[in-house]
Structures are given as C-alpha cells and as structure tokens.
Amino acid sequence: MERAAAEVAMMGFRERRAWAELAAWAVPFAIYFALAPGGEPTDITAMLRRLAGFAAATIGYGILLGAGTLWSMRGAPRHERSKPDERERAIEWRATSYGYGVMMAGMILVGIVLPFERSGWAITNAALAAIVVSEMVRLTAVAVLYRRGG
C-alpha cells in the first residue's frame, strides 16, 4: 500500500490526469454496458429508461472527470500544468494514433458489418463501445508512455 502511494506521489500531472480520465471512462460506462438490456425497447417508457441510463453514465463520467482533474492538480507544480512540451506532445500524438486505430476498427464494425445483422440500439451501443474503448486505449497509452519515460 505504501509503495502504491509512493508511486502515485511520483507521477507527473499529465500521467495522473490520464489515469483519472481512464477511471472516469471505465467506471460509469462499464456499469452502463453491464446494465443495458438487449433487444429493442417496446414502448416509450423502455426507450426513456435507456436514455436515462446513458445520461447517468455521461453525468457520472463528468463528475469523475472533474474529481480526477482536481486530484491530479493537487500538489502538482504550476509548470507541470502549463502547455505541454515537445516530449509530452510526442506522447500524446503516439497515444492518439493507438486510439485512432481502435476507433477506426470499431467504426468499420459498426458502419459496415453490423447493419447487415443488427439494427437500432445494438448499433448505437456498439458505436458507443467503440468510442469508449478507443479513449481507454489512448489514455492507457498516455499513462504507460509517461511511466516508461516517453
């Protein structure tokens, strides 16, 4: 436990922010996808429940992101929170390229394969999953690249 606390204390602002944002994506959308029912809603009440679930996940993301940002800013020197330097931009660019690859694979699945087999909410949730997974890949890459030194 002390070792984990020491590692968190040694993290820079952007690495802590990446971990916090990763948790902000993972927790509410894991709950959303675990509780999302299959099939199409049969009436307006079922449709509103699905939209409420999506809204709750989005609001949860916003709350966790805000709390995570405050946590990552705590104790971080002001110069770490300023504009990213060349190394930080290179890490961001590399991580974004990983996330983009996952996003493209997901969008090919959603836009080319799924319309032949599924419709409605199945496609909507698959597109949402592609977005969430691609962001999680990007943020994981950011955190790992900072951990490895770039």
Side-chain angles (χ1 to χ4, degrees):
M1 190 71 172
E2 289 181 24
R3 183 175 177 213
E7 285 188 23
V8 169
M10 290 176 40
M11 288 182 196
F13 167 70
R14 295 188 198 290
E15 183 181 357
R16 274 190 279 172
R17 177 101 176 24
W19 284 116
E21 192 173 351
L22 180 64
W25 276 106
V27 173
F29 285 102
I31 294 170
Y32 170 78
F33 287 120
L35 299 179
E40 293 300 313
T42 55
D43 60 357
I44 190 70
T45 305
M47 178 71 81
L48 289 175
R49 265 189 299 223
R50 286 194 183 189
L51 290 174
F54 176 72
T58 304
I59 291 169
Y61 165 75
I63 290 170
L64 288 175
L65 182 62
T69 300
L70 290 175
W71 170 74
S72 61
M73 290 175 68
R74 201 180 101 222
R78 188 171 186 82
H79 68 86
E80 282 189 12
R81 292 183 273 150
S82 62
K83 287 185 173 183
D85 61 15
E86 188 172 316
R87 175 182 160 264
E88 293 165 339
R89 284 194 306 266
I91 287 173
E92 187 66 35
W93 178 85
R94 195 167 164 193
T96 299
S97 68
Y98 296 149
Y100 180 77
V102 172
M103 172 75 81
M104 289 308 297
M107 289 301 124
I108 288 170
L109 178 70
V110 168
I112 296 174
V113 176
L114 280 182
F116 292 108
E117 298 176 4
R118 306 282 171 99
S119 63
W121 277 92
I123 292 176
T124 302
N125 282 334
L128 181 60
I131 292 168
V132 170
V133 170
S134 70
E135 272 300 299
M136 291 177 67
V137 165
R138 183 184 72 81
L139 293 165
T140 301
V142 166
V144 168
L145 289 171
Y146 272 110
R147 175 66 34 174
R148 288 180 32 193

